[in-house]
Amino acid sequence: MTRNTAAEKAITITGLVHTFGETTAVDGLDLGVREGEVFGLLGPNGAGKTTAIRCVTTLLPVPAGTVRVFGHDAAKEPMAVRRLLGYVPQQLSADAGLTGRENVALFARVFDVPRRERAERVAQALAAVGLADAADRLAGTYSGGMVRRLELAQALVSAPRLLILDEPTIGLDPIARTGVWEHIGAVRAATGMTVLVTTHYMDEADQYCGRVGLMHRGRVRALGTPDELRRTLAERRGTDTLPTLEDVFRDVAGSGLDADSGDFRDVRSTRRTAHRVG
């Protein structure tokens, strides 16, 4: 496949609007993700993060505005976009009745990895996330951290240029969370892939993301490196004490508990996933 020029962004979103009935989930979103970076999309439940991601992955239509992935229009060229993606959703996607190897092999077939390459690509993906020794065990015997790494292997088996992670470490203990991120970092260092991640763990965004965008009410309200956002808030407050990224989050989103900022379905889905990996 011919690659686009390095100057082209991995993701370009312009004027994206998406509604569910009378509820506007994404409201004129403009966002660019640079090729090769780790970009964190942050915000309270109901901010529009997952809806925006589903438009990028072509799981939802693009009713207004444009979404481009490495120059391909998600609305007009959905198959071209899908071939460039790996996606780990909030909800668990591994089949407990299959082995780790069988789970990843299934995704290799779904993403049309050539038959002659499948076995090797499956083995490489499992090794990349540290599951080679557990590959032939049923996924139902895996710990929560292992399940998340298995899902990462599923997303990596197609050698994506863009990896999208929606709350990849939710419900995991600190050691398992660190393990997931170490494996993401190792694969990214080896392949140069772009990573777009949503997370409610501000320490993860601060440590692992080169830039972050803070969404609220369907739009990005603040954008920059974690350090830039902290310093901007400190200057506005007129203090020499550098605030945390969580302080920036609270400043942008407020309490996040007003009537229009949450979505019960999002909260219920998040709690269900956390319970299953716990």
Side-chain angles (χ1 to χ4, degrees), residues 2-252:
T2 301
R3 295 203 169 203
N4 298 312
T5 63
E8 192 160 34
K9 291 189 173 103
I11 301 173
T12 304
I13 300 175
T14 306
L16 176 63
V17 176
H18 203 292
T19 61
F20 297 97
E22 296 182 356
T23 301
T24 300
V26 179
D27 186 15
L29 176 64
D30 295 320
L31 181 66
V33 176
R34 300 165 184 162
E35 184 170 6
E37 76 173 331
V38 179
F39 187 94
L41 191 59
L42 314 179
N45 289 324
K49 308 182 301 296
T50 295
T51 299
I53 280 179
R54 288 174 179 167
C55 289
V56 173
T57 60
T58 75
L59 293 175
L60 285 176
V62 180
T66 59
V67 175
R68 293 185 176 275
V69 177
F70 291 106
H72 295 284
D73 190 310
K76 298 177 181 178
E77 307 170 85
M79 290 308 299
V81 169
R82 290 170 195 167
R83 292 189 184 102
L84 298 170
L85 298 178
Y87 178 42
V88 178
Q90 280 186 22
Q91 296 81 7
L92 300 184
S93 58
D95 189 327
L98 299 178
T99 67
R101 192 183 308 279
E102 289 168 340
N103 267 287
V104 179
L106 176 61
F107 271 68
R109 293 195 296 273
V110 168
F111 284 95
D112 202 27
V113 174
R115 184 184 298 271
R116 64 183 179 278
E117 299 178 17
R118 283 179 194 166
E120 182 178 359
R121 293 269 286 274
V122 167
Q124 289 174 344
L126 287 163
V129 300
L131 289 177
D133 292 340
D136 296 311
R137 282 172 44 194
L138 290 178
T141 68
Y142 285 11
S143 67
M146 292 173 71
V147 170
R148 275 310 196 196
R149 285 190 279 137
L150 176 60
E151 292 179 319
L152 182 57
Q154 291 173 167
L156 293 173
V157 73
S158 61
R161 290 181 65 189
L162 171 64
L163 178 64
I164 298 179
L165 308 164
D166 196 359
E167 298 285 350
T169 59
I170 188 168
L172 300 183
D173 64 65
I175 294 175
R177 284 170 55 196
T178 299
V180 169
W181 275 106
E182 285 178 347
H183 287 98
I184 292 169
V187 173
R188 179 172 167 267
T191 65
M193 71 181 176
T194 305
V195 178
L196 170 63
V197 60
T198 73
T199 180
H200 283 134
Y201 295 120
M202 295 300 105
D203 59 322
E204 289 187 353
D206 204 356
Q207 182 173 354
Y208 299 110
C209 296
R211 291 191 305 146
V212 298
L214 285 157
M215 280 189 74
H216 187 45
R217 297 182 182 274
R219 296 184 182 181
V220 170
R221 309 291 178 169
L223 177 68
T225 69
D227 188 58
E228 287 170 346
L229 295 179
R230 287 194 300 268
R231 292 186 182 281
T232 297
L233 180 58
E235 290 173 4
R236 199 169 78 244
R237 288 179 171 178
T239 177
D240 293 330
T241 303
L242 202 62
T244 66
L245 191 57
E246 184 170 343
D247 292 328
V248 178
F249 180 97
R250 291 179 182 277
D251 182 72
V252 169

